[in-house]
Coordinates of all heavy atoms in Angstrom, one line a residue:
L190 N -61.4 -31.1 -11.1 CA -60.9 -30.5 -12.3 C -60.7 -31.7 -13.3 O -59.9 -32.6 -13.1 CB -59.6 -29.7 -12.1 CG -59.0 -29.2 -13.4 CD1 -60.0 -28.1 -14.1 CD2 -57.7 -28.6 -13.2
K191 N -61.4 -31.6 -14.4 CA -61.2 -32.5 -15.5 C -60.2 -31.8 -16.5 O -60.6 -30.8 -17.1 CB -62.5 -32.9 -16.2 CG -62.2 -34.0 -17.3 CD -63.3 -34.0 -18.4 CE -62.8 -34.6 -19.6 NZ -61.8 -33.8 -20.4
G192 N -59.0 -32.3 -16.6 CA -58.1 -31.7 -17.5 C -58.4 -31.9 -19.0 O -59.0 -32.9 -19.3
A193 N -57.8 -31.0 -19.8 CA -58.0 -31.2 -21.3 C -57.1 -32.3 -21.8 O -56.0 -32.5 -21.3 CB -57.6 -29.9 -21.9
E194 N -57.6 -33.0 -22.8 CA -56.9 -34.2 -23.3 C -55.6 -33.7 -24.0 O -54.6 -34.4 -24.2 CB -57.7 -34.9 -24.3 CG -58.8 -35.7 -23.7 CD -60.1 -34.9 -23.4 OE1 -60.1 -33.7 -23.8 OE2 -61.0 -35.4 -22.8
L195 N -55.5 -32.4 -24.4 CA -54.4 -31.9 -25.1 C -53.3 -31.2 -24.2 O -52.2 -30.9 -24.6 CB -54.8 -30.8 -26.2 CG -55.7 -31.3 -27.3 CD1 -55.9 -30.2 -28.3 CD2 -55.2 -32.6 -27.9
S196 N -53.7 -31.1 -22.9 CA -52.7 -30.4 -22.0 C -52.8 -31.0 -20.6 O -52.8 -30.3 -19.6 CB -53.0 -28.9 -21.9 OG -54.3 -28.7 -21.5
P197 N -52.8 -32.4 -20.4 CA -53.0 -33.0 -19.1 C -51.8 -32.7 -18.1 O -52.0 -32.4 -16.9 CB -53.1 -34.5 -19.4 CG -52.4 -34.6 -20.7 CD -52.7 -33.4 -21.5
A198 N -50.6 -32.7 -18.6 CA -49.4 -32.5 -17.7 C -49.3 -31.0 -17.3 O -49.0 -30.7 -16.2 CB -48.1 -32.9 -18.4
S199 N -49.6 -30.1 -18.2 CA -49.6 -28.6 -17.9 C -50.6 -28.4 -16.8 O -50.3 -27.7 -15.8 CB -50.0 -27.8 -19.1 OG -49.1 -28.0 -20.2
Q200 N -51.8 -28.9 -16.9 CA -52.8 -28.6 -15.9 C -52.6 -29.4 -14.6 O -53.0 -29.0 -13.5 CB -54.2 -28.9 -16.5 CG -54.6 -27.8 -17.5 CD -55.8 -28.1 -18.3 OE1 -56.2 -29.2 -18.5 NE2 -56.4 -27.0 -18.8
G201 N -51.9 -30.6 -14.8 CA -51.6 -31.3 -13.6 C -50.6 -30.6 -12.6 O -50.7 -30.7 -11.4
L202 N -49.8 -29.7 -13.2 CA -48.9 -28.9 -12.4 C -49.7 -27.9 -11.5 O -49.2 -27.5 -10.4 CB -47.9 -28.2 -13.3 CG -46.6 -28.9 -13.6 CD1 -45.8 -28.1 -14.6 CD2 -45.8 -29.3 -12.4
I203 N -50.8 -27.5 -12.0 CA -51.7 -26.6 -11.1 C -52.1 -27.4 -9.9 O -52.0 -26.8 -8.8 CB -53.0 -26.2 -11.9 CG1 -52.6 -25.4 -13.2 CG2 -53.9 -25.3 -11.0 CD1 -53.8 -25.1 -14.1
I204 N -52.5 -28.6 -10.1 CA -52.9 -29.4 -8.9 C -51.8 -29.6 -8.0 O -51.9 -29.6 -6.7 CB -53.5 -30.7 -9.4 CG1 -54.7 -30.5 -10.4 CG2 -54.0 -31.6 -8.2 CD1 -55.8 -29.6 -9.9
E205 N -50.6 -29.8 -8.5 CA -49.4 -30.0 -7.7 C -49.2 -28.7 -6.8 O -48.9 -28.8 -5.6 CB -48.2 -30.2 -8.6 CG -46.9 -30.4 -7.8 CD -45.6 -30.5 -8.7 OE1 -45.6 -31.4 -9.5 OE2 -44.7 -29.7 -8.5
A206 N -49.4 -27.5 -7.4 CA -49.2 -26.3 -6.7 C -50.2 -26.2 -5.6 O -49.9 -25.8 -4.4 CB -49.3 -25.1 -7.6
L207 N -51.5 -26.5 -5.9 CA -52.5 -26.4 -4.9 C -52.3 -27.4 -3.7 O -52.6 -27.2 -2.6 CB -53.9 -26.6 -5.5 CG -54.6 -25.3 -6.0 CD1 -53.8 -24.6 -7.1 CD2 -56.0 -25.6 -6.5
A208 N -51.8 -28.6 -4.1 CA -51.6 -29.6 -3.1 C -50.5 -29.1 -2.1 O -50.5 -29.3 -0.9 CB -51.2 -31.0 -3.7
A209 N -49.4 -28.5 -2.7 CA -48.3 -28.0 -1.9 C -48.8 -26.9 -1.0 O -48.2 -26.6 0.0 CB -47.2 -27.5 -2.8
A210 N -49.9 -26.2 -1.4 CA -50.4 -25.1 -0.6 C -51.0 -25.6 0.7 O -51.2 -24.8 1.6 CB -51.4 -24.3 -1.4
G211 N -51.4 -26.9 0.8 CA -51.9 -27.4 2.0 C -53.4 -27.6 2.1 O -53.9 -27.8 3.2
F212 N -54.1 -27.7 1.0 CA -55.5 -27.9 1.0 C -55.8 -29.3 1.6 O -55.0 -30.3 1.3 CB -56.1 -27.8 -0.4 CG -56.3 -26.4 -0.9 CD1 -55.3 -25.8 -1.5 CD2 -57.5 -25.8 -0.7 CE1 -55.5 -24.5 -2.0 CE2 -57.7 -24.5 -1.1 CZ -56.7 -23.8 -1.8
P213 N -56.8 -29.4 2.4 CA -57.1 -30.7 3.0 C -57.4 -31.8 1.9 O -57.9 -31.5 0.8 CB -58.4 -30.5 3.8 CG -58.4 -29.0 4.1 CD -57.7 -28.4 2.9
D214 N -57.2 -33.1 2.3 CA -57.5 -34.2 1.4 C -58.9 -34.1 0.9 O -59.8 -33.9 1.7 CB -57.2 -35.5 2.0 CG -55.7 -35.7 2.3 OD1 -54.9 -34.9 1.8 OD2 -55.3 -36.7 3.0
G215 N -59.1 -34.4 -0.4 CA -60.5 -34.5 -0.9 C -61.1 -33.2 -1.4 O -62.0 -33.2 -2.2
V216 N -60.5 -32.0 -1.0 CA -61.0 -30.7 -1.4 C -60.8 -30.5 -2.9 O -61.6 -29.9 -3.6 CB -60.4 -29.6 -0.5 CG1 -60.8 -28.2 -1.1 CG2 -60.9 -29.8 0.9
I217 N -59.6 -30.9 -3.4 CA -59.2 -30.8 -4.8 C -58.9 -32.1 -5.4 O -58.1 -32.9 -4.8 CB -58.0 -29.8 -4.9 CG1 -58.3 -28.5 -4.4 CG2 -57.5 -29.8 -6.4 CD1 -57.1 -27.6 -4.1
N218 N -59.5 -32.4 -6.5 CA -59.3 -33.7 -7.2 C -59.1 -33.4 -8.7 O -59.6 -32.5 -9.3 CB -60.5 -34.6 -7.0 CG -60.8 -34.8 -5.5 OD1 -60.2 -35.7 -4.9 ND2 -61.7 -34.0 -4.9
Y219 N -58.3 -34.3 -9.4 CA -57.9 -34.1 -10.7 C -58.1 -35.4 -11.5 O -57.6 -36.5 -11.1 CB -56.5 -33.6 -10.8 CG -56.0 -33.3 -12.2 CD1 -56.6 -32.4 -13.0 CD2 -54.8 -33.9 -12.7 CE1 -56.2 -32.0 -14.3 CE2 -54.4 -33.6 -14.0 CZ -55.0 -32.6 -14.8 OH -54.6 -32.3 -16.0
L220 N -58.8 -35.3 -12.7 CA -59.0 -36.4 -13.6 C -58.6 -36.0 -15.0 O -58.8 -34.9 -15.5 CB -60.5 -36.7 -13.6 CG -61.2 -37.3 -12.4 CD1 -62.7 -37.4 -12.6 CD2 -60.6 -38.7 -12.1
T221 N -57.9 -37.0 -15.6 CA -57.7 -36.9 -17.1 C -58.2 -38.2 -17.7 O -58.2 -39.3 -17.0 CB -56.2 -36.8 -17.4 OG1 -55.4 -37.8 -16.8 CG2 -55.6 -35.4 -16.8
C222 N -58.6 -38.1 -19.0 CA -59.1 -39.3 -19.6 C -58.7 -39.3 -21.1 O -58.5 -38.2 -21.7 CB -60.6 -39.5 -19.4 SG -61.6 -38.2 -20.3
A223 N -58.7 -40.5 -21.7 CA -58.5 -40.6 -23.1 C -59.7 -39.9 -23.9 O -60.8 -39.9 -23.4 CB -58.4 -42.0 -23.5
P224 N -59.4 -39.2 -25.0 CA -60.4 -38.5 -25.7 C -61.7 -39.4 -26.0 O -62.8 -38.9 -25.8 CB -59.7 -38.1 -27.0 CG -58.3 -38.0 -26.7 CD -58.1 -39.1 -25.6
A225 N -61.5 -40.6 -26.4 CA -62.7 -41.5 -26.7 C -63.5 -41.7 -25.5 O -64.7 -42.0 -25.6 CB -62.2 -42.8 -27.3
D226 N -62.9 -41.6 -24.3 CA -63.7 -41.9 -23.0 C -64.4 -40.7 -22.4 O -65.2 -40.8 -21.5 CB -62.7 -42.5 -22.0 CG -62.1 -43.8 -22.4 OD1 -62.7 -44.5 -23.3 OD2 -61.0 -44.1 -21.9
A227 N -64.1 -39.5 -22.9 CA -64.5 -38.3 -22.3 C -66.1 -38.2 -22.2 O -66.6 -37.8 -21.2 CB -63.9 -37.1 -23.0
P228 N -66.8 -38.5 -23.3 CA -68.3 -38.3 -23.2 C -68.9 -39.1 -22.1 O -69.7 -38.6 -21.3 CB -68.8 -38.8 -24.6 CG -67.6 -38.5 -25.5 CD -66.4 -38.8 -24.7
A229 N -68.5 -40.4 -22.0 CA -69.2 -41.2 -20.9 C -68.7 -40.8 -19.5 O -69.5 -40.8 -18.6 CB -68.8 -42.7 -21.2
L230 N -67.4 -40.4 -19.4 CA -66.9 -40.0 -18.1 C -67.5 -38.8 -17.6 O -68.0 -38.6 -16.5 CB -65.4 -39.9 -18.2 CG -64.7 -39.6 -16.8 CD1 -63.5 -40.5 -16.6 CD2 -64.3 -38.1 -16.8
V231 N -67.7 -37.8 -18.5 CA -68.3 -36.5 -18.1 C -69.7 -36.7 -17.8 O -70.3 -36.1 -16.8 CB -68.1 -35.4 -19.3 CG1 -68.9 -34.2 -19.0 CG2 -66.6 -35.1 -19.4
E232 N -70.4 -37.5 -18.6 CA -71.8 -37.7 -18.3 C -72.0 -38.4 -16.9 O -72.9 -38.0 -16.1 CB -72.5 -38.6 -19.4 CG -74.0 -38.8 -19.2 CD -74.6 -39.6 -20.3 OE1 -73.9 -40.1 -21.2 OE2 -75.9 -39.7 -20.3
S233 N -71.1 -39.3 -16.6 CA -71.2 -39.9 -15.3 C -71.0 -39.0 -14.1 O -71.6 -39.0 -13.1 CB -70.2 -41.1 -15.2 OG -68.9 -40.7 -15.0
L234 N -70.0 -38.0 -14.3 CA -69.8 -37.0 -13.3 C -70.9 -36.1 -13.1 O -71.3 -35.8 -12.0 CB -68.5 -36.2 -13.7 CG -67.2 -37.0 -13.6 CD1 -66.1 -36.2 -14.4 CD2 -66.8 -37.2 -12.2
I235 N -71.5 -35.6 -14.2 CA -72.6 -34.7 -14.1 C -73.8 -35.4 -13.5 O -74.6 -34.8 -12.7 CB -73.0 -34.1 -15.5 CG1 -71.9 -33.2 -16.1 CG2 -74.3 -33.3 -15.5 CD1 -72.1 -32.8 -17.5
A236 N -74.0 -36.7 -13.8 CA -75.2 -37.4 -13.3 C -75.1 -37.7 -11.8 O -76.1 -37.9 -11.1 CB -75.4 -38.7 -14.1
H237 N -73.9 -37.7 -11.2 CA -73.7 -38.1 -9.8 C -74.4 -37.1 -8.9 O -74.3 -35.9 -9.0 CB -72.2 -38.1 -9.5 CG -71.9 -38.9 -8.2 ND1 -72.3 -38.5 -7.0 CD2 -71.3 -40.1 -8.0 CE1 -71.9 -39.3 -6.0 NE2 -71.3 -40.3 -6.6
P238 N -75.2 -37.6 -8.0 CA -76.0 -36.7 -7.1 C -75.2 -35.7 -6.3 O -75.7 -34.6 -6.0 CB -76.8 -37.7 -6.2 CG -76.8 -39.0 -6.9 CD -75.5 -39.0 -7.7
A239 N -73.9 -36.0 -6.0 CA -73.1 -35.1 -5.2 C -72.6 -33.9 -6.0 O -72.2 -32.9 -5.4 CB -72.0 -35.9 -4.5
V240 N -72.5 -34.1 -7.3 CA -72.1 -32.9 -8.1 C -73.2 -31.9 -8.3 O -74.2 -32.2 -8.8 CB -71.6 -33.4 -9.5 CG1 -71.2 -32.2 -10.4 CG2 -70.4 -34.3 -9.3
R241 N -73.0 -30.7 -7.7 CA -74.1 -29.7 -7.7 C -73.9 -28.6 -8.6 O -74.8 -27.8 -8.9 CB -74.2 -29.2 -6.2 CG -74.5 -30.3 -5.2 CD -75.7 -31.1 -5.6 NE -76.9 -30.4 -6.0 CZ -77.9 -30.8 -6.8 NH1 -77.8 -32.0 -7.3 NH2 -78.9 -30.0 -7.1
R242 N -72.7 -28.3 -9.1 CA -72.5 -27.2 -10.1 C -71.5 -27.7 -11.1 O -70.6 -28.5 -10.8 CB -71.9 -26.0 -9.4 CG -72.8 -25.3 -8.4 CD -74.0 -24.6 -9.1 NE -74.7 -23.7 -8.2 CZ -75.7 -24.2 -7.4 NH1 -76.0 -25.4 -7.4 NH2 -76.3 -23.3 -6.6
I243 N -71.6 -27.2 -12.3 CA -70.7 -27.6 -13.4 C -70.3 -26.3 -14.1 O -71.1 -25.4 -14.3 CB -71.4 -28.5 -14.4 CG1 -71.8 -29.9 -13.8 CG2 -70.5 -28.7 -15.7 CD1 -73.1 -30.0 -13.2
N244 N -69.0 -26.3 -14.5 CA -68.6 -25.2 -15.4 C -67.7 -25.8 -16.5 O -67.0 -26.7 -16.3 CB -67.9 -24.0 -14.7 CG -66.5 -24.4 -14.1 OD1 -65.5 -24.5 -14.8 ND2 -66.5 -24.6 -12.8
F245 N -67.9 -25.3 -17.7 CA -67.2 -25.8 -18.9 C -66.8 -24.6 -19.7 O -67.6 -23.7 -20.0 CB -68.2 -26.7 -19.7 CG -67.6 -27.1 -21.0 CD1 -66.6 -28.1 -21.1 CD2 -68.0 -26.4 -22.2 CE1 -66.1 -28.4 -22.4 CE2 -67.5 -26.8 -23.4 CZ -66.6 -27.8 -23.5
T246 N -65.5 -24.6 -20.2 CA -65.0 -23.7 -21.2 C -64.5 -24.5 -22.3 O -63.7 -25.4 -22.2 CB -63.9 -22.8 -20.6 OG1 -64.3 -22.1 -19.4 CG2 -63.3 -21.9 -21.6
G247 N -65.0 -24.2 -23.5 CA -64.7 -25.0 -24.7 C -65.6 -24.6 -25.9 O -66.1 -23.5 -25.9
S248 N -65.7 -25.5 -26.8 CA -66.4 -25.2 -28.1 C -67.9 -25.2 -27.8 O -68.4 -25.9 -26.9 CB -66.0 -26.3 -29.1 OG -66.6 -27.5 -28.8
T249 N -68.6 -24.5 -28.7 CA -70.1 -24.5 -28.6 C -70.7 -25.8 -28.9 O -71.6 -26.2 -28.1 CB -70.6 -23.4 -29.6 OG1 -70.1 -22.1 -29.2 CG2 -72.1 -23.4 -29.7
P250 N -70.3 -26.6 -29.9 CA -70.9 -28.0 -30.0 C -70.8 -28.8 -28.8 O -71.8 -29.5 -28.4 CB -70.1 -28.6 -31.2 CG -69.7 -27.4 -32.0 CD -69.3 -26.4 -31.0
V251 N -69.6 -28.9 -28.2 CA -69.5 -29.7 -26.9 C -70.3 -29.0 -25.8 O -70.9 -29.7 -25.0 CB -68.0 -29.8 -26.5 CG1 -67.9 -30.6 -25.2 CG2 -67.3 -30.6 -27.6
G252 N -70.3 -27.7 -25.7 CA -71.1 -27.0 -24.7 C -72.6 -27.3 -24.8 O -73.2 -27.4 -23.8
R253 N -73.1 -27.4 -26.0 CA -74.5 -27.8 -26.1 C -74.8 -29.2 -25.5 O -75.8 -29.4 -24.9 CB -74.9 -27.8 -27.6 CG -74.9 -26.4 -28.3 CD -75.5 -26.5 -29.7 NE -75.2 -25.3 -30.4 CZ -75.9 -24.2 -30.4 NH1 -76.9 -24.1 -29.6 NH2 -75.5 -23.1 -31.1
I254 N -73.8 -30.1 -25.7 CA -74.0 -31.5 -25.1 C -73.9 -31.4 -23.6 O -74.8 -32.0 -22.9 CB -72.9 -32.4 -25.6 CG1 -73.0 -32.6 -27.1 CG2 -72.9 -33.7 -24.9 CD1 -71.8 -33.3 -27.8
I255 N -73.0 -30.6 -23.1 CA -72.9 -30.4 -21.6 C -74.2 -29.8 -21.1 O -74.7 -30.2 -20.1 CB -71.7 -29.5 -21.3 CG1 -70.4 -30.1 -21.7 CG2 -71.7 -29.2 -19.8 CD1 -70.0 -31.3 -21.0
A256 N -74.7 -28.7 -21.8 CA -75.9 -28.1 -21.4 C -77.1 -29.0 -21.3 O -77.9 -29.0 -20.4 CB -76.2 -26.9 -22.3

Side-chain angles (χ1 to χ4, degrees):
L190 175 65
K191 184 204 161 288
E194 290 83 6
L195 299 187
S196 56
S199 301
Q200 291 172 332
L202 274 177
I203 300 170
I204 304 303
E205 180 185 303
L207 269 64
F212 282 88
D214 293 350
V216 171
I217 297 163
N218 304 274
Y219 183 56
L220 291 171
T221 56
C222 69
D226 299 335
L230 184 133
V231 169
E232 184 173 7
S233 74
L234 289 166
I235 294 172
H237 197 293
V240 174
R241 300 309 310 155
R242 294 288 189 278
I243 295 92
N244 69 78
F245 170 79
T246 301
S248 72
T249 294
V251 176
R253 292 185 194 280
I254 296 170
I255 300 293

